[in-house]
Amino acid sequence: MKLLTLNFLTCARKTCKSNAAAFPLHPKEAELEQVETDMNPLFIKNILPRLDWEAMKTLTTELGLPNLPAETPSDEELATDGEPSQTAKDLHTLLMETSIQSGKLVCGNCEHEYAVKEGIANFLLPSHMV
Amino acid sequence: MSRPEDNLPPDLFYNEKEARQYTTSSRIRNIQADMTHRALELLDLQEPSFILDIGCGSGLSGEILSGVEEDEGGPHTWVGMDISSSMLAQALERDVEGDMLLADIGQGVPFRAGSFDAAISISAIQWLCNAETSDVSPEGRLKRFFDGLYASLKRGGKAVCQFYPKNAQQRSLISNAAIKAGFGAGILEDDPETKSVKVYLVLSVGGGDVTGAVS
Ligand SMILES: [Zn+2]
């Protein structure tokens, strides 16, 4: 599961839907994997305004990754002389190439743990929890 | 021929053998690829987008989303949801680029509001109509799904769901559930009144009928 996806994922339980603590989910015993992919600068530009930067910062801290800038990088910071900037490359590495291979994702509200195996998170809920 | 969804829930129907057959049958692959291309055409995405693939299965549609050329507005980044772990295992084997969740779309769509530019679904949402137990109804599952999908799309976002309605009643059950969730909705039929008719539910967030072909 890419860190990009984690920035959009919430607890699946109905009772957590409107609770602020149900996002972001918190990684636990996470094994990270780095997989190189082609950079898609336009996608980075498109998704940037939709990222929850506070959640991104929380996540990198919890995973022990380098600290992020205090604010979401601006559009202008993504390119220098028409080429992807270092900032854009760093975002690509963080969002698109870094993924949780195994571990758990924990809801901050109900404390339900979603298991991640082979990069796939299990969001199936037993019927009493739906 | 009996329809698989009449007999079994999808997580039981698509066991390992079925999942493999589904992924390797070239006839199924071609039909699925055609329908994915058609759905992409209806979505009309101009730029690399963030797409939810509902019932992503073994990633056949996802590969197409990842492979859209730059001059055609791609490539897109996708997240898939599927209830069948055997199907997802096939996707892993094929090394697809998208992220996947093992999840039941009838339990909702666990993403924060406005996450996706678009959503696509190929041959999946009719499964929502079979509720296996007495405490879950098709109406309840459809509501959870469409409410969640609506919220997860950004304003102006679109979804195209190709599906196989069992009959006219199921078809309107599904489209009415989408409309109730707030979507502007239309149904588009390719090859109507033939055996190979394809039904697409075309949905938009914050817009009226997008196909001009409401039925
Ligand atoms: Zn929760």
Side-chain angles (χ1 to χ4, degrees):
Chain A
M1 161 137 324
K2 296 182 184 71
L3 299 196
L4 169 81
T5 306
L6 249 186
N7 194 258
F8 292 95
L9 207 52
T10 65
C11 182
R13 295 179 72 173
K14 199 176 183 184
T15 43
C16 289
K17 261 273 129 74
S18 53
N19 193 298
F23 175 84
L25 299 173
H26 304 282
K28 192 174 149 190
E29 296 152 25
E31 302 252 4
L32 295 184
E33 191 182 49
Q34 205 79 30
V35 183
E36 230 174 274
T37 63
D38 289 339
M39 187 166 172
N40 187 342
L42 255 182
F43 178 75
I44 300 280
K45 183 173 146 50
N46 287 344
I47 205 75
L48 194 60
R50 252 177 285 166
L51 283 182
D52 185 315
W53 197 251
E54 285 308 311
M56 223 45 240
K57 289 198 286 187
T58 308
L59 182 64
T60 49
T61 307
E62 287 176 353
L63 290 173
L65 295 170
N67 282 338
L68 294 178
E71 306 287 335
T72 317
S74 68
D75 239 18
E76 298 81 63
E77 288 173 76
L78 294 181
T80 36
D81 305 325
E83 289 296 312
S85 64
Q86 191 58 46
T87 303
K89 287 177 191 162
D90 290 347
L91 280 169
H92 172 71
T93 306
L94 181 72
L95 299 170
M96 313 300 285
E97 298 189 325
T98 311
S99 63
I100 295 185
Q101 192 56 18
S102 68
K104 289 170 185 134
L105 302 172
V106 187
C107 172
N109 185 46
C110 72
E111 297 179 359
H112 184 68
E113 296 186 345
Y114 298 93
V116 183
K117 284 180 196 152
E118 296 187 84
I120 295 180
N122 182 350
F123 269 69
L124 290 174
L125 292 172
S127 58
H128 70 274
M129 282 177 61
V130 174
Chain B
M1 198 181 81
S2 78
R3 298 158 55 92
E5 59 268 32
D6 285 344
N7 306 316
L8 293 166
D11 49 338
L12 294 179
F13 173 66
Y14 292 117
N15 61 23
E16 214 152 303
K17 186 166 146 265
E18 299 280 2
R20 197 171 298 273
Q21 274 174 2
Y22 191 90
T23 315
T24 52
S25 154
S26 61
R27 197 180 71 83
I28 288 174
R29 287 182 76 116
N30 288 339
I31 296 173
Q32 171 133 10
D34 288 348
M35 296 191 296
T36 305
H37 285 294
R38 180 68 162 131
L40 265 173
E41 188 180 283
L42 293 168
L43 286 175
D44 191 27
L45 302 165
Q46 305 296 322
E47 288 192 324
S49 301
F50 194 33
I51 302 180
L52 178 65
D53 184 347
I54 300 143
C56 64
S58 56
L60 293 174
S61 301
E63 276 182 335
I64 293 171
L65 300 177
S66 306
V68 175
E69 300 290 336
E70 257 172 70
D71 56 9
E72 284 165 24
H76 304 299
T77 301
W78 56 277
V79 178
M81 294 173 72
D82 206 281
I83 197 173
S84 162
S85 53
S86 336
M87 280 290 199
L88 295 177
Q90 292 276 306
L92 284 181
E93 241 172 72
R94 289 164 358 96
D95 219 6
V96 296
E97 286 179 49
D99 264 338
M100 291 169 289
L101 297 186
L102 178 63
D104 177 358
I105 56 169
Q107 294 185 339
V109 179
F111 293 92
R112 61 183 169 85
S115 295
F116 297 101
D117 294 293
I120 187 173
S121 179
I122 303 297
S123 315
I125 61 170
Q126 70 273 4
W127 288 104
L128 284 165
C129 294
N130 62 318
E132 299 85 55
T133 55
S134 53
D135 56 328
V136 224
S137 65
E139 289 81 2
R141 291 173 55 77
L142 284 164
K143 180 174 164 43
R144 284 294 284 276
F145 167 65
F146 282 115
D147 285 354
L149 178 63
Y150 186 85
S152 77
L153 289 168
K154 68 172 193 189
R155 263 207 95 61
K158 274 198 259 181
V160 175
C161 305
Q162 177 276 328
F163 70 114
Y164 291 113
K166 186 158 97 174
N167 49 39
Q169 188 196 358
Q170 195 182 74
R171 179 174 147 150
S172 56
L173 185 70
I174 290 176
S175 45
N176 285 335
I179 291 164
K180 236 182 253 168
F183 280 111
I187 279 191
L188 188 122
E189 277 187 13
D190 283 348
D191 304 319
E193 315 201 3
T194 70
K195 252 176 79 183
S196 55
V197 58
K198 303 287 182 307
V199 179
Y200 297 85
L201 179 64
V202 184
L203 305 172
S204 70
V205 176
D209 171 27
V210 277
T211 64
V214 180
S215 58

